[in-house]
Amino acid sequence: MNSRQPIPVVVLAGFLGSGKTTVLNHLLAGRGGTRIGVVVNDFGSIEVDAMSVAGQVGDSMVSLGGGCLCCAVDGSELDAYLEKLSAPVHRIDVIVIEASGLAEPQEMIRMLMASENPAIRYGGMVEVVDAAEFDATRTRHPETDRHLAVADLVVLNKIDRVDAAERARIEQQLAVVCAPGTPVLATDHGRIDPELLFDRRPWTETRGQLSFEDLLAEADDHEHGHEHAHGRCDHAHAAYESTEFTSEQALSPRRFIDFLDRRPAGLYRIKGFVYFGVPGHEERYEVHAVGRFLRFAPRPWGRGEARVSQLVLIGSGTDGPGLLRELEACREAAPHEARPESMWGVLRYVARPAEPGSGVPATGSDET
């Protein structure tokens, strides 16, 4: 039986000029050893110098050495390419879809949520917004508000081109247009930490073989050397805080869901796993949240593995000690006495029915 976990598929949306491709390039450059499958309709602007040393693996798919795959596709081909990218032979860790020119983000989200491909799962939608052209973009593209309304995370890009008052005005507008609680990440030059969207793996392959990683690392080393020489080194993750929580005591599913429902807008990502210990639901529940998007996935415990909860919360301007106090209040002294219906809030966010014999009941699909 294949124990490989479904590959998260992140939708990256934004109109021409918003900086979406710059964000994508930054994710590629900062991915470490993570193998990313990138689906775009035109990769002419993506910085893929390593294509000159990469071999073709298909009519419209290019292998980027150590792990990136770029595909030139239209909407009708998307499902087929996702199936191809998710094949075990590619060992892809995450897939990023650049939505422009493919389909409406809402339709792409529906397709991913309803996909019968067990090798993939929806991983959230990120909408990139040009701060300097915010009003003009909404006038030129009335569908902008509709896209923002379904976004899980909004990247307010090019804030270096607006003053503080204009930025505050745009953020107020976004608070009205976006769904309640949608986090807005302000940045410039598309600098977004990959850890906000997916786990970044360390390099495991040998360097020095003219791989994509080599070229990126050399460029990164050169850029950092240049910045240090000029007394400047602005890392994308410098403004983010990480809060870690561990509990050897089970958590109350109801209190934990209440915590997630009221999580602050500055909390961009939550990852880890939780032990609830409710009768019939003693598995470990992996939790993955990007902005408003939330998903649980029940997994079996390893033989002899301690029943603990471990979470990492990544955000900006968040109260770390306050978050820990709220999580500590979720602890449950007698989980074995809880009724099965206490798990309903969690099961609402379990992606798809469990396989026969797993001991996990069938549930609904993801919610955003």
Side-chain angles (χ1 to χ4, degrees):
M1 179 178 174
N2 183 11
S3 60
R4 180 176 172 84
Q5 298 180 9
I7 301 169
V9 180
V10 177
V11 177
L12 182 63
F15 289 101
L16 184 66
S18 65
K20 181 174 69 273
T21 300
T22 305
V23 170
L24 181 55
N25 284 329
H26 194 79
L27 292 176
L28 291 174
R31 66 193 176 91
T34 303
R35 299 177 68 87
I36 304 179
V38 181
V39 180
V40 297
N41 61 322
D42 178 9
F43 52 78
S45 299
I46 297 179
E47 298 168 3
V48 288
D49 294 339
M51 293 169 84
S52 61
V53 297
Q56 295 287 332
V57 296
D59 292 338
S60 59
M61 183 183 297
V62 179
S63 172
L64 303 183
C68 284
L69 295 175
C70 289
C71 313
V73 303
D74 59 32
S76 64
E77 297 172 311
L78 182 58
D79 201 42
Y81 274 98
L82 287 176
E83 184 174 355
K84 188 170 186 177
L85 281 170
S86 61
V89 66
H90 296 306
R91 295 185 290 123
I92 295 294
D93 297 308
V94 61
I95 297 172
V96 179
I97 299 176
E98 182 256 295
S100 178
L102 291 175
E104 282 286 313
Q106 299 96 316
E107 295 304 316
M108 196 169 299
I109 292 171
R110 291 192 189 101
M111 186 203 75
L112 292 171
M113 300 277 267
S115 174
E116 296 182 357
N117 181 355
I120 65 169
R121 63 173 174 82
Y122 176 57
M125 174 193 158
V126 179
E127 179 78 12
V128 183
V129 175
D130 182 345
E133 299 292 332
F134 181 66
D135 294 330
T137 300
R138 293 178 75 193
T139 299
R140 191 165 54 248
H141 301 285
E143 63 271 32
T144 297
D145 288 4
R146 188 171 68 250
H147 294 184
L148 287 167
V150 298
D152 297 299
L153 173 67
V154 174
V155 174
L156 181 59
N157 195 29
K158 304 185 184 181
I159 58 170
D160 56 315
R161 295 179 55 192
V162 299
D163 58 28
E166 176 65 2
R167 172 180 166 181
R169 184 190 70 83
I170 295 172
E171 289 177 339
Q172 289 176 351
Q173 289 283 319
L174 290 172
V176 173
V177 175
C178 297
T182 302
V184 176
L185 173 62
T187 188
D188 60 86
H189 300 92
R191 291 181 291 189
I192 174 174
D193 194 328
E195 288 284 348
L196 298 182
L197 301 180
F198 52 81
D199 290 336
R200 181 166 38 199
R201 298 179 184 272
W203 267 304
T204 57
E205 297 180 10
T206 302
R207 299 270 287 275
Q209 297 181 354
L210 197 57
S211 69
F212 190 41
E213 279 82 356
D214 294 322
L215 297 177
L216 287 174
E218 289 174 9
D220 189 56
D221 291 342
H222 174 75
E223 180 181 349
H224 284 178
H226 177 77
E227 288 175 344
H228 283 297
H230 290 77
R232 175 177 63 89
C233 187
D234 300 322
H235 293 282
H237 61 275
Y240 309 146
E241 304 98 29
S242 177
T243 302
E244 298 182 3
F245 172 78
T246 301
S247 175
E248 296 180 359
Q249 192 171 341
L251 301 189
S252 161
R254 285 176 173 164
R255 290 198 292 273
F256 186 60
I257 286 293
D258 287 343
F259 165 79
L260 294 174
D261 285 344
R262 63 176 184 271
R263 61 191 185 273
L267 188 55
Y268 302 128
R269 188 177 181 213
I270 303 173
K271 60 179 181 176
F273 55 90
V274 180
Y275 173 56
F276 296 113
V278 175
H281 303 278
E282 288 90 356
E283 302 83 9
R284 56 184 284 172
Y285 280 78
E286 291 186 5
V287 58
H288 170 75
V290 173
R292 292 188 310 119
F293 173 73
L294 173 64
R295 178 183 181 272
F296 286 96
R299 308 288 184 200
W301 294 96
R303 181 173 297 178
E305 186 175 3
R307 272 47 173 173
V308 298
S309 297
Q310 292 184 322
L311 295 168
V312 177
L313 302 90
I314 303 173
S316 177
T318 54
D319 176 10
L323 292 173
L324 289 176
R325 285 193 296 271
E326 290 191 57
L327 286 169
E328 287 165 0
C330 294
R331 288 177 170 147
E332 176 57 62
H336 58 281
E337 297 179 1
R339 297 181 63 83
E341 54 264 33
S342 66
M343 286 291 295
W344 288 353
V346 171
L347 298 180
R348 176 186 176 197
Y349 296 101
V350 171
R352 37 176 79 88
E355 295 186 12
S358 68
V360 181
T363 66
S365 59
D366 300 52
E367 298 281 344
T368 56

